[in-house]
Amino acid sequence: MQAERADAILGFLALADRLKSVERRGRVVLPDGATRRENSAEHCWSLALIATLLHQDVAGPLDLGRALMMVAIHDLVEIEAGDTFAYDAAGRATQAAREAAAAETVFSLLPPDLGARLRALWEEFEAGETPESRFAMACDRMQGFLQNVLSGGIAWREHGVTRADTAPRMDPAIAVDPAFATLIGRLYERAEAGGLLGPAP
């Protein structure tokens, strides 16, 4: 490997390390009962674990390696664009444009072949048209929902999120495969039993 390529890869990895400082709205409950915001790198790790656990439970052929690559890079744009809360309508209105601009910055730091490869994977995840991207999307949305259940719905309550508010986000994940329908259905049961989602308006 040439020194120039090595330096570009190391520079990109240094940038990617900043994902650890991008905070999400979901909360992590600490052993002493205190909470803090989850960061996007933790989210990606949890998402990768979910994908690893579930890939054999979904119907049809699935390239787990490709799905995991998408999981690893799908939120790198947040280093430049920031995290967009799923229930922030104003933020979501500008999310696509902000993240596309961030993708130009982030992936251009890599050697051209690697930058093009990662950019293509990011675009595949965003488009959601392949089995791997739909699987990764379902894992992504399930992870966010799971994190809210595990933390007692703190972020949901802070923002007045109701079950109806979650449907546009969770219904596409549920539709990916019966395995997701079962798991997310169980999470809804726990959320409702614990009063974690706000009452319908």
Side-chain angles (χ1 to χ4, degrees):
M1 180 183 291
Q2 293 182 339
E4 183 179 352
R5 183 176 179 86
D7 287 345
I9 290 170
L10 291 173
F12 176 82
L13 289 172
L15 175 77
D17 195 66
R18 288 170 45 196
L19 197 63
K20 298 171 185 175
S21 66
V22 176
E23 292 186 333
R24 294 165 53 84
R25 298 293 177 90
R27 307 292 293 191
V28 174
V29 179
L30 303 174
D32 64 0
T35 67
R36 63 165 174 79
R37 282 189 167 188
E38 176 188 37
N39 68 56
S40 288
E42 291 171 323
H43 159 71
C44 290
W45 166 80
S46 184
L47 174 49
L49 183 59
I50 290 169
T52 300
L53 292 174
L54 299 188
H55 79 280
Q56 291 183 323
D57 284 294
V58 298
L62 179 73
D63 182 342
L64 178 62
R66 187 171 191 83
L68 287 174
M69 284 190 287
M70 283 184 235
V71 165
I73 61 95
H74 82 286
D75 275 345
L76 286 175
V77 294
E78 292 183 359
I79 294 166
E80 296 291 330
D83 177 63
T84 302
F85 184 47
Y87 306 104
D88 174 5
R92 289 186 62 79
T94 63
Q95 181 179 8
R98 286 185 291 108
E99 292 188 351
E104 285 291 328
T105 300
V106 170
F107 299 124
S108 69
L109 295 178
L110 283 163
D113 62 315
L114 287 178
R117 182 180 184 199
L118 266 63
R119 177 67 185 261
L121 285 165
W122 178 76
E123 290 175 350
E124 181 180 345
F125 176 86
E126 290 296 312
E129 295 175 353
T130 63
E132 290 77 16
S133 64
R134 288 191 296 271
F135 173 74
M137 173 276 294
C139 291
D140 180 40
R141 296 189 180 185
M142 183 181 134
Q143 191 280 334
F145 199 96
L146 171 65
Q147 196 64 45
N148 274 291
V149 172
L150 292 175
S151 63
I154 296 170
W156 284 337
R157 289 198 306 274
E158 286 175 347
H159 300 278
V161 176
T162 68
R163 177 167 182 149
D165 293 329
T166 68
R169 184 159 181 84
M170 301 312 298
D171 286 354
I174 289 169
V176 167
D177 190 88
F180 287 106
T182 299
L183 289 162
I184 294 169
R186 297 287 285 172
L187 289 172
Y188 267 118
E189 290 171 8
R190 294 179 185 189
E192 291 179 346
L196 307 185
L197 289 163

